[in-house]
Amino acid sequence: MAEAGIPTNQLKKNSLGVGAITFLVVSAAAPLTGAGGGIPPSMLFGNGAGIAGSFLIVTLILLAFSVGYVAMSRHVKNAGAFYAFAAQGLGGRFGGAAAMVAILSYNAMQVGLMGLLGAVASGTFAQFGLELPWYVWTYIAIALVAVLGYRQVDLSAKVLMLLVLAEFAIVVLLNLAILIKGGAAGLNLQPFTWTQITSGTPSIGFLFCFAGFIGFEATTIYSEEAKNPSVTVPKATYISVLAIGIFYTLTSWLMTMGIGVDQLLPTLQGLPDPAAFLFILGETYIGGTLTTVMGVLFMTSIFAAVLAFHNAVARYKFVAGREGILPDAVGFTHARFQSPHIGSVLQTIIALVVVSVFVAKGLDPVLNLFVWMTQMGTLGVLGLMALTSFAVIAFFAKDAMGENMLSTKVLPLVTGVVMAYLFFIIFRDFGALTGSEGMLSWAIPALVPLFGVIGFALASALAARDPARFKDLGKSKA
């Protein structure tokens, strides 16, 4: 424990159990945001009713990824997560590349969600007679997140736990109402048939599904703050994947049943905004009052995701500073809170600057800020997952350390190839997926490999400047 007034480079140990870590990462996946803002467009632009089957397949793929991921987490306990795994498996230079891509990706996810939060908050409060531009609410959210992110992580966990439980509860209530009433035309398993899964444009459907899970992999970020991390982190990872996967699979299936397979696409095509679909189902099955509550929880769901991504990126910056990739000053924690306060403050400044640029340019908070930034973040995280899968193979190549071949070679190879392929598809089709045109269609996704090159160069500079420190990149700190 640090003495009062003396900064340290250690996070607050033994402060998070399985439940707290699970809520921190599940909140990043934003269950209600996914149900209201992710599932309807994935149906409309992707593979319609087949999105439920797609979620089931993606859940199985991410469970397979998690096997190698948690195997390595038992031997590398470092808040750098993807960075630490890449450094320990593939070498410090690849670790540096992973660190900068992670910082970019989580930044993009958090700042992009700020746009959606501002738009939703503006509409929500307008219903109660308080009309303000979207960016006012976004700036208020940035201030609140700045306070929570600066303090102890267990405070953020408590706030997120309440918000996530509430958003889960309202969607589960809607699901049960549809289930009990038998939907619009009886319940069936059509959404899980191969015909439905491959209908429409399944590639877009699958990409939306993967985006719905972004955040689950952050369990290892909290390994230095976890109680008994060798047990806590693996449990939290599996619980997170299963909780998100089962929730999205059942919810997307029951949303389809609520309107009927045949009426799903015509209904979505007739809406000015596909996000309204969840609330139409709410009016039909649980009534106006609870649907209004759902609208408020939709807003708090996005806030929870913003806070979770803020916490994640602050830790990546802290680790990159502590280990010499970023300036040393970033690698200190608060003397009292033992939080990565410098990384948190930097994240707040970045959010303010980027949001202000979008405001000044008069760009749309959802179609531009949210879509462009979060898809770039999804691209970066898929790249990191591919790199991590190959790092697992390399890490255990000489010594399996008691882990089996399935977790050290077979599943990491399969998931690494799948993630690399998805990275290529999103990069190639970024303009079509996001509506970005001209130079932006390649300049935005190009930031991901660019930051990888920058990280590789920063790690190389560290190797020349301080070989001993470079050699220790990514080592366990818990």
Side-chain angles (χ1 to χ4, degrees), residues 3-91:
E3 293 178 14
I6 302 175
T8 177
N9 67 350
Q10 296 295 315
L11 292 162
K12 188 179 181 183
K13 296 188 182 299
N14 297 314
S15 56
L16 299 173
V18 174
I21 294 175
T22 301
F23 277 107
L24 280 164
V25 300
V26 170
S27 58
L32 182 52
T33 303
I39 290 175
S42 73
M43 292 170 166
L44 179 60
F45 303 118
N47 49 347
I51 205 70
S54 301
F55 268 118
L56 183 59
I57 292 169
V58 170
T59 301
L60 295 174
I61 291 171
L62 292 177
L63 280 172
F65 168 80
S66 298
V67 172
Y69 192 62
V70 301
M72 195 161 177
S73 76
R74 284 191 280 267
H75 305 279
V76 179
K77 303 176 186 70
N78 185 303
F82 285 141
Y83 143 74
F85 288 9
Q88 287 294 293
L90 301 172

Side-chain angles (χ1 to χ4, degrees), residues 80-413:
F82 285 141
Y83 143 74
F85 288 9
Q88 287 294 293
L90 301 172
R93 289 176 176 81
F94 281 101
M100 293 309 294
V101 171
I103 287 170
L104 171 71
S105 301
Y106 286 111
N107 257 306
M109 294 299 292
Q110 196 238 15
V111 176
L113 281 164
M114 286 288 189
L116 181 62
L117 177 59
V120 171
S122 180
T124 300
F125 283 104
Q127 293 178 335
F128 302 105
L130 185 56
E131 296 189 26
L132 292 169
W134 70 268
Y135 51 83
V136 173
W137 300 111
T138 294
Y139 287 134
I140 291 170
I142 290 173
L144 289 172
V145 170
V147 173
L148 290 168
Y150 191 88
R151 294 172 63 86
Q152 296 108 314
V153 69
D154 46 345
L155 176 60
S156 290
K158 288 168 186 171
V159 172
L160 292 174
M161 192 174 296
L162 292 172
L163 296 180
V164 173
L165 282 173
E167 62 179 289
F168 262 120
I170 195 74
V171 181
V172 168
L173 188 64
L174 174 59
N175 286 346
L176 287 173
I178 295 172
L179 189 65
I180 291 167
K181 293 180 182 178
L187 304 176
N188 62 70
L189 297 178
Q190 273 185 261
F192 299 100
T193 62
W194 192 244
T195 303
Q196 289 290 343
I197 292 170
T198 55
S199 66
T201 312
S203 59
I204 292 179
F206 275 99
L207 293 176
F208 267 102
C209 289
F210 272 100
F213 280 85
I214 298 296
F216 91 89
E217 73 290 338
T219 49
T220 55
I221 290 174
Y222 300 101
S223 59
E224 293 180 41
E225 298 157 276
K227 300 168 184 175
N228 193 6
S230 296
V231 175
T232 303
V233 171
K235 277 186 179 178
T237 302
Y238 285 126
I239 291 171
S240 297
V241 174
L242 286 169
I244 296 166
I246 292 170
F247 174 83
Y248 280 144
T249 301
L250 289 177
T251 298
S252 55
W253 172 60
L254 286 166
M255 286 172 71
T256 302
M257 293 299 99
I259 198 72
V261 172
D262 294 336
Q263 292 301 312
L264 178 65
L265 287 178
T267 300
L268 286 167
Q269 288 162 355
L271 294 174
D273 178 4
F277 180 53
L278 182 70
F279 298 95
I280 289 172
L281 290 173
E283 291 278 357
T284 304
Y285 287 95
I286 59 175
T289 302
L290 285 174
T291 302
T292 301
V293 173
M294 187 187 291
V296 174
L297 289 173
F298 187 30
M299 176 181 67
T300 60
S301 168
I302 306 167
F303 177 81
V306 166
L307 178 56
F309 280 116
H310 179 96
N311 283 326
V313 78
R315 278 153 185 76
Y316 267 113
K317 289 173 183 172
F318 157 73
V319 170
R322 179 180 67 185
E323 308 209 354
I325 295 169
L326 290 180
D328 289 343
V330 183
F332 285 101
T333 49
H334 194 278
R336 178 184 169 193
F337 302 131
Q338 287 186 277
S339 60
H341 63 304
I342 304 296
S344 178
V345 170
L346 287 172
Q347 179 60 18
T348 299
I349 293 169
I350 290 169
L352 280 169
V353 170
V354 175
V355 167
S356 296
V357 168
F358 275 76
V359 172
K361 294 286 185 181
L363 294 168
D364 189 90
V366 177
L367 297 178
N368 301 140
L369 180 55
F370 170 66
V371 173
W372 294 353
M373 298 294 281
T374 56
Q375 285 296 337
M376 180 174 69
T378 301
L379 177 69
V381 171
L382 281 171
L384 289 168
M385 290 171 76
L387 190 69
T388 299
S389 294
F390 299 128
V392 170
I393 297 171
F395 180 77
F396 290 112
K398 292 182 181 178
D399 183 358
M401 302 181 199
E403 306 290 346
N404 60 52
M405 184 179 290
L406 194 66
S407 61
T408 60
K409 292 182 175 64
V410 179
L411 291 179
L413 178 61

